DNA sequence: CTTGACGCCTAGTTAATCTAGGCATAGGGT
DNA sequence: ACCCTATGCCTAGATTAACTAGGCGTCAAG
């Protein structure tokens, strides 16, 4: 997948994964890869800064956890985050409708 | 429409518009706005450089025309351009399938 | 004791798009 | 005459999202 295509859609993906429940960064990456069947195999350098940004924006909250001697930062969707996700979904649909209209796809 | 979302999809849109026949830059912008019902209202500073890039890549060919005392550069899809468009469409579908899979949309 | 999976992080780079201007013709309004 | 808008083209530089390329550390397997 051409990376440029992802731009502007990353937050949608991250917030979406976290609707299933709190998760740490590494597992978010795995889950994204698993759900998309390899289409979205994002480097850590993409995901971690994005999670930090979303937390700074108040859309996620995080806390440290330890499992098997490894420390993890676990992220959870906040109420504003859920609202932002809903907005992202709406915008995404708007976007795809626009593309389809231009392409002449009735779908 | 958040502009970031467009990134990586611009070529798809431009090439798509030109499947309807040759057109000049300004009309491509209008057509994009019309077909998408205002969703894609792109600044000239976005479209003109993109058309130049596509022409440099051999996906478009251009020629000057004059109408009503105004000069226009008319762009037409080349054979490689049509092939690139087909590839773009496939990649776009791949992209949307990935998103939908992550969002849990069966669509 | 090295390799790989797990797990986190960030400084600097890249590159696509946008901003903000410039230039020119035509026509309508005042 | 003058200005404004629509039409039509262009580009240098700014913006900014995502990526590259590293770093650090734990643990289990071979």
């Amino acid at each position: 997948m051409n990376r440029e295509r992802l731009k502007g859609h990353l937050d949608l993906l991250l917030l979406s994964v976290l609707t299933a429940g709190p998760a740490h960064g590494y597992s978010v990456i795995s889950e994204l890869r698993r759900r998309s069947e390899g289409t979205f195999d994002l480097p850590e350098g993409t995901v971690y800064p994005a999670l930090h940004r979303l937390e700074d924006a108040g859309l996620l909250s995080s806390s440290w956890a330890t499992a098997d001697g490894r420390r993890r930062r676990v992220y959870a969707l906040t109420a504003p985050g859920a609202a932002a996700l809903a907005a992202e979904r709406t915008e995404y649909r708007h976007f795809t409708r626009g593309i389809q209209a231009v392409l002449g796809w009735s779908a």
Side-chain angles (χ1 to χ4, degrees), chain A:
Chain A
M1 172 59 50
N2 177 4
R3 298 84 100 224
E4 314 303 334
R5 288 206 137 75
L6 184 66
K7 295 201 181 197
H9 303 276
L10 180 58
D11 293 1
L12 171 63
L13 293 177
L14 297 180
L15 295 173
S16 287
V17 166
L18 289 170
T19 54
H24 60 283
Y26 203 85
S27 75
V28 168
I29 293 174
S30 310
E31 182 65 7
L32 227 32
R33 184 173 46 231
R34 190 190 66 76
R35 287 205 211 179
S36 71
E37 294 174 26
T39 298
F40 301 128
D41 190 6
L42 307 183
E44 301 175 6
T46 293
V47 173
Y48 289 120
L51 290 172
H52 298 164
R53 181 171 44 76
L54 292 172
E55 183 176 15
D56 287 344
L59 307 185
L60 299 179
S61 62
S62 79
S63 58
W64 285 102
T66 304
D68 304 318
R70 292 188 189 95
R71 60 204 245 291
R72 298 166 165 179
R73 191 195 279 272
V74 176
Y75 292 90
L77 208 56
T78 63
L85 173 56
E88 288 274 355
R89 283 192 205 243
T90 300
E91 268 204 64
Y92 175 72
R93 281 210 227 244
H94 188 199
F95 170 78
T96 53
R97 270 203 310 272
I99 297 269
Q100 285 162 3
V102 170
L103 297 210
W105 290 347
S106 43

